[in-house]
Amino acid sequence: MIFSCTYQKKVVLLHSQKFYIINMAQTQEETFKKIVAHCKEYGFVFPSSEIYDGLGAVYDYGQNGVELKNNIKRYWWDSMTLLHENIVGIDAAIFMHPTTWKASGHVDAFNDPLIDNRDSKKRYRADVLIEDQIAKYDEKIAKEVEKARKRFGESFDEEMFKSTNERVKEHIAKREALHERFAKAMNDNNLEELKQIILDEEIVCPISGTRNWTDVRQFNLMFSTEMGSTADGAMKIYLRPETAQGIFVNFLNVQKTGRMKIPFGIAQIGKAFRNEIVARQFIFRMREFEQMEMQFFVRPGEELKWFEHWKQFRLKWHKALGLGDEKYRFHDHDKLAHYANAATDIEFLMPFGFKEVEGIHSRTNFDLSSHAKYSGKKIEYFDPELNQSYTPYVIETSIGVDRMFLSVMCSAYEEQALEGGDTRVVLHLPAVLAPVKACIMPLVKKDGLPEKAREIMNELKFDFKVAYDEKDSIGKRYRRQDAVGTPFCITVDHDTEKDGCVTVRYRDTMTQDRVKIEDLHEIIRKATDPKELYRKIVGDSFEDTNE
Ligand code: GAP
């Protein structure tokens, strides 16, 4: 149901440096299925324990996936800890004292509203069903706007069209009414109203197609296990549902040992676990996933200024990758979590619509105060400038590694038709994130070319993840590298020994250059060095988070 609209893809034909554009139509559902299949076929993502038919919403990263994932993590980590002298990292344990989750509210307050379909016996999150319905209205509006844009061309005024076209006005009105009703029901924790919305909107179960729904009930998403033997009296503990609490309970440790002055931040990357009910859309919603979170501790009263700062900084971080500025938008929350006084999501346009990739929350002093209360410890900061102690307020930026991975894959994947009826699948991965930066290939497997190619590879491998390939025709080897997103293919031929040059072939344009071997390092460095992205984020006049 989510994939109903047709996706027009521009396909580029390359012939003697000329591009021919043809149109191929495929649904977003088809595109997404192909991306999932591609991830498996090329060693990016595998279903977990696949030989036993897999485990629901749990995935393993393969040889290329882990490189891409590590590059995403490195890009995030360095953008936090290198670009900001007042942000440091930690790596807290997954297991935490169970009282942590009492204090955080996860034991009592973090429950999801669930509803079952009596015919399919499938369980859904009621809020997700309604959000999907809102997304359907958004899709209808976007479709009308696109149609009109094509019809009116340059002179098209989107705002004017939306405020005058009767059909669009009707969709917008329905969408707004539903949105308002939904936000109120969520804020009031009104489970009966959530069910009534599902019935009124005539939302059907995607499996059975019926509206035979049960009442909405609350459900806790935390996984639990036991620590210690039962003879000792085992303790029930939880697998952390977010990494943030590991930062809060270490606030005093880091502040004191690092002599940190407010404002300052603590960053962390690590696994989190949620017993998600609606496990779907591949690695978008998993039961075991990874988060990159940063808690920024500020003076009370200054939190909304910092909230705005981090919103803008994080958006720049995303956009610097060049996946397309138009694919991002903010979605401000109507329903705030019990700890927050402002919250927004950074959404990315996936093949199944705009979806949350990152959350930015102004968490007030809820977490530190609550841990102080439950632990009996004083968790405060003495501000020498104000000559007073207080419980700091917190701005949190929280991004899922796996969702980031999915957004990169979805925007990178392209099918191209080439001259002579040939096709290629190419991943236009940002070079900084590409699992393999260059593949070195001897033109033929003889005449000393493999030895020369290995010599070049052995020089480059100290700085870059490079590959070597001598099997099959050069064309087939190019295709293999295109499919995993390798930005450069470097071919050693019979002239290499004489002129000290190799042919560099570029993934996106498929054009080729003859370059000196000693220039290779700089060519690859320039394209893959994250420094270039950091400059884009902070610009020349970087206003630091130190004040
Ligand atoms: N500490 C705040 C927090 O955990 P959240 O909005 O629940 O906030 C933050 O999660 C991010 O973690 C999301 O924006 C998303 O990228 C990622 N995430 C959350 N649940 C996930 C899941 N089940 N599978 C994959 N990623 C998930």
Side-chain angles (χ1 to χ4, degrees), residues 106 241-244 274 276 283-291 293 295 333 339 345-346 356-359 361 363 396 398-404:
H106 282 85
E242 63 171 8
T243 56
R274 293 182 196 174
E276 296 282 6
I283 55 173
F284 182 78
R285 198 176 299 284
M286 302 158 88
R287 296 201 164 98
E288 174 179 342
F289 58 101
E290 210 163 355
Q291 290 185 315
E293 298 200 301
Q295 319 296 135
H333 287 208
Y339 53 72
D345 296 334
I346 295 180
E356 173 192 343
V357 171
E358 171 157 8
H361 311 118
R363 289 180 78 129
E396 164 185 81
S398 175
I399 171 169
V401 181
D402 313 271
R403 285 196 191 172
M404 183 64 201

Side-chain angles (χ1 to χ4, degrees), residues 145-177:
V145 168
E146 266 331 288
K147 259 189 347 207
R149 192 189 303 283
K150 279 196 193 121
R151 207 166 54 238
F152 295 114
E154 295 256 302
S155 61
F156 180 63
D157 181 337
E158 184 173 329
E159 286 317 308
M160 166 86 85
F161 175 73
K162 280 179 169 170
S163 60
T164 51
N165 182 283
E166 287 307 320
R167 209 180 357 224
V168 173
K169 271 168 60 187
E170 197 183 315
H171 290 324
I172 292 176
K174 279 189 183 160
R175 187 226 184 261
E176 290 310 311

Side-chain angles (χ1 to χ4, degrees), residues 1-3 32 127-136 138-139 278 280-281 284-285 318 327-331 345-359 399-400 403-404 406-407 410:
M1 62 172 180
I2 304 159
F3 302 102
F32 190 57
D127 54 332
V128 172
L129 286 178
I130 299 171
E131 276 169 6
D132 283 351
Q133 183 72 3
I134 294 174
K136 270 186 171 178
D138 284 339
E139 232 176 70
V278 195
R280 58 174 189 181
Q281 285 155 348
F284 182 78
R285 198 176 299 284
H318 284 277
K327 292 187 179 146
Y328 298 93
R329 72 178 187 193
F330 285 120
H331 168 241
D345 296 334
I346 295 180
E347 295 187 336
F348 185 82
L349 185 57
M350 305 273 190
F352 42 91
F354 271 102
K355 293 286 161 185
E356 173 192 343
V357 171
E358 171 157 8
I399 171 169
R403 285 196 191 172
M404 183 64 201
L406 187 59
S407 62
C410 289

Side-chain angles (χ1 to χ4, degrees), residues 199-246:
L199 295 178
D200 292 349
E201 287 289 321
E202 302 186 345
I203 296 173
V204 296
C205 164
I207 307 290
S208 66
T210 70
R211 288 180 232 143
N212 194 2
W213 297 109
T214 62
D215 288 341
V216 178
R217 287 168 296 126
Q218 300 277 18
F219 180 80
N220 193 297
L221 293 186
M222 278 198 295
F223 282 102
S224 64
T225 184
E226 291 192 340
M227 184 177 260
S229 74
T230 28
D232 292 335
M235 177 163 62
K236 182 177 179 186
I237 57 167
Y238 298 98
L239 272 70
R240 65 181 177 198
E242 63 171 8
T243 56
Q245 298 304 325

